[in-house]
Amino acid sequence: MCELIAERGLDAVTVARTASRAGMSVGLVQHYFRSKDDMLLHAFERVSAAVATRVAGIVSAGTRHERSIAEVLLAALAEHLPLDEPRRAEFRVIRVFAGRALDNPALAGVDARTAAALHAEIARAVGNGVECGEVEPDVDADTAAARIAAVAEGLATQVYRGAHGAAGRARAVLRAELAAVFTGECRQYVR
Amino acid sequence: MCELIAERGLDAVTVARTASRAGMSVGLVQHYFRSKDDMLLHAFERVSAAVATRVAGIVSAGTRHERSIAEVLLAALAEHLPLDEPRRAEFRVIRVFAGRALDNPALAGVDARTAAALHAEIARAVGNGVECGEVEPDVDADTAAARIAAVAEGLATQVYRGAHGAAGRARAVLRAELAAVFTGECRQYVR
DNA sequence: GTAATAATCGTATGGACATACGGTTATCGG
DNA sequence: CCGATAACCGTATGTCCATACGATTATTAC
């Protein structure tokens, strides 16, 4: 069904089409989901969780290889950028839902929780950076995290829109933004 | 009709409801718009133009009062933040359309043009900053503009979502971001 | 003043869709 | 083996909506 959303948008998502695309009957879809809204909500949760899982994987891999926090964070945030087709499709799905979330409390909840989780993860990274010397001690983790999250989100939009040169410079902008916070060398690993 | 979108979302927008809300008949709406899509497109153009106009006003007022470029830019970007109810409503409308733009080329065009115009305006401001000494000469205007636009957009999302503390710190984050680019004092006005 | 054009209305039609429902087949615990 | 529960199907129903259409009233142009 995410396929369907990515290809033709939420309006094209009818229970019947979704069923047919999944090779099942309308009745079976109804067996699993109380209502269409329910189905949509599950889809949003699924796709949000999918990217969160991938990001978590990147973080743990980076940590294992003893990369600096800034490097790991860069990789994690770049994962959100719609730089190739699968990620563009995923981005489209998430944004379509985000648009719908504006007048659907259930979807808005998922959106808010996902964003809060990302914010928390970034803030934690900044906090750890302070511990290990990559970040100046007077930096406020929440403020820095808000700023970094904002840039990442805004860049993703620009890249998706195909703004002139956006895809080419997105990674550099992200790196510059992180460099403004992670100004020191890592002395010890506190993760 | 933007009222209607802001209150109940795009799904609630039917030609009949829109007509009734505007105190006219279905037939009259049809007289002015070839189709519902046409009506929606006009609405998106109207609301996009409205915020662009307000921003232009802020810029020209700031210029008249001989404020620094960074100050004017801060005011212009803060205008996009959904910090009060009218702006929240407007934000909702624009984002709802942006969501729809993902599978509607006509809406996507409006979105892209609006974003490009904002980017160009910021880039011009940075360029002027170089001329007048507020910005280091080696700063690339397009990259700086992308970064600033990304932060502004991301912050707006955070504020709207009601992320913890987002509304309170948004302006400060914006100011910090601008301070990273506009590092010098203005020596002459080249606008 | 009259012809043409714009503004305005109300209704009808046909299509699409979510959901309800009654039924059938498979799975499995006891 | 058998009762229950889950998996699964197809159709029917009622609603909602965009658009078409024909009619009526204002406005303007000549």
Side-chain angles (χ1 to χ4, degrees):
Chain A
M1 98 144 275
C2 288
E3 232 179 287
L4 204 49
I5 299 176
E7 282 169 26
R8 308 181 41 196
L10 253 193
D11 284 337
V13 176
T14 75
V15 174
R17 240 199 295 273
T18 305
S20 133
R21 178 65 73 103
M24 49 169 104
S25 69
V26 174
L28 188 50
V29 172
Q30 288 178 314
H31 181 71
Y32 287 116
F33 303 106
R34 230 190 297 278
S35 67
K36 185 188 181 184
D37 274 0
D38 218 43
M39 179 179 89
L40 260 15
L41 181 61
H42 272 75
F44 191 25
E45 277 165 350
R46 251 180 49 78
V47 62
S48 297
V51 10
T53 302
R54 276 198 337 260
V55 167
I58 289 172
V59 169
S60 86
T63 305
R64 270 200 308 283
H65 292 84
E66 303 212 335
R67 302 237 173 277
S68 74
I69 298 178
E71 281 174 297
V72 174
L73 211 43
L74 176 62
L77 294 174
E79 179 68 26
H80 290 85
L81 297 176
L83 287 168
D84 53 22
E85 192 40 44
R87 264 167 268 256
R88 280 181 73 81
E90 196 175 44
F91 179 89
R92 203 156 37 232
V93 173
I94 290 179
R95 283 300 167 101
V96 159
F97 276 123
R100 219 59 145 220
L102 293 163
D103 51 89
N104 181 326
L107 296 179
V110 176
D111 180 54
R113 276 191 294 278
T114 307
L118 180 62
H119 176 97
E121 201 149 353
I122 300 174
R124 195 169 56 85
V126 173
N128 289 347
V130 171
E131 298 288 318
C132 86
E134 273 187 66
V135 177
E136 293 297 316
D138 64 340
V139 169
D140 176 60
D142 264 332
T143 304
R147 183 173 164 178
I148 291 169
V151 172
E153 178 149 357
L155 281 177
T157 309
Q158 289 177 19
V159 169
Y160 183 82
R161 263 197 294 247
H164 183 67
R169 70 180 161 239
R171 215 174 267 272
V173 171
L174 221 39
R175 197 192 311 275
E177 199 64 37
L178 288 169
V181 173
F182 293 83
T183 49
E185 287 288 314
C186 188
R187 290 189 311 261
Q188 55 175 135
Y189 291 92
V190 204
R191 288 176 184 134
Chain B
M1 95 145 277
C2 288
E3 232 178 287
L4 206 46
I5 299 176
E7 282 169 26
R8 308 180 43 196
L10 254 193
D11 283 337
V13 175
T14 74
V15 174
R17 241 197 294 271
T18 306
S20 132
R21 178 65 73 104
M24 48 169 107
S25 69
V26 173
L28 188 51
V29 172
Q30 289 178 312
H31 181 70
Y32 286 115
F33 302 105
R34 231 190 296 277
S35 67
K36 186 189 181 185
D37 273 1
D38 218 43
M39 178 178 90
L40 259 17
L41 181 60
H42 272 76
F44 191 24
E45 279 166 347
R46 249 180 51 78
V47 63
S48 297
V51 10
T53 302
R54 271 189 351 250
V55 167
I58 289 172
V59 170
S60 85
T63 306
R64 270 202 307 284
H65 291 85
E66 304 212 335
R67 300 239 175 276
S68 74
I69 298 177
E71 281 175 298
V72 174
L73 211 43
L74 176 62
L77 295 175
E79 178 68 26
H80 291 86
L81 297 176
L83 288 166
D84 53 22
E85 192 38 45
R87 264 167 269 257
R88 280 182 73 81
E90 197 175 43
F91 179 89
R92 203 155 37 232
V93 173
I94 290 179
R95 283 299 169 99
V96 160
F97 276 123
R100 219 62 145 217
L102 292 163
D103 52 88
N104 180 325
L107 296 180
V110 175
D111 180 54
R113 276 192 293 280
T114 308
L118 181 62
H119 176 97
E121 201 149 353
I122 300 173
R124 194 168 58 84
V126 173
N128 290 345
V130 171
E131 298 288 316
C132 87
E134 273 187 68
V135 178
E136 294 298 316
D138 63 341
V139 168
D140 177 61
D142 264 331
T143 304
R147 181 173 165 178
I148 292 169
V151 172
E153 180 149 358
L155 281 177
T157 309
Q158 289 177 17
V159 169
Y160 183 82
R161 263 196 294 247
H164 184 67
R169 71 180 159 238
R171 217 175 263 273
V173 172
L174 221 41
R175 198 193 310 275
E177 199 62 38
L178 288 169
V181 174
F182 292 83
T183 50
E185 286 288 313
C186 188
R187 290 189 310 263
Q188 55 175 133
Y189 291 93
V190 204
R191 286 173 188 141

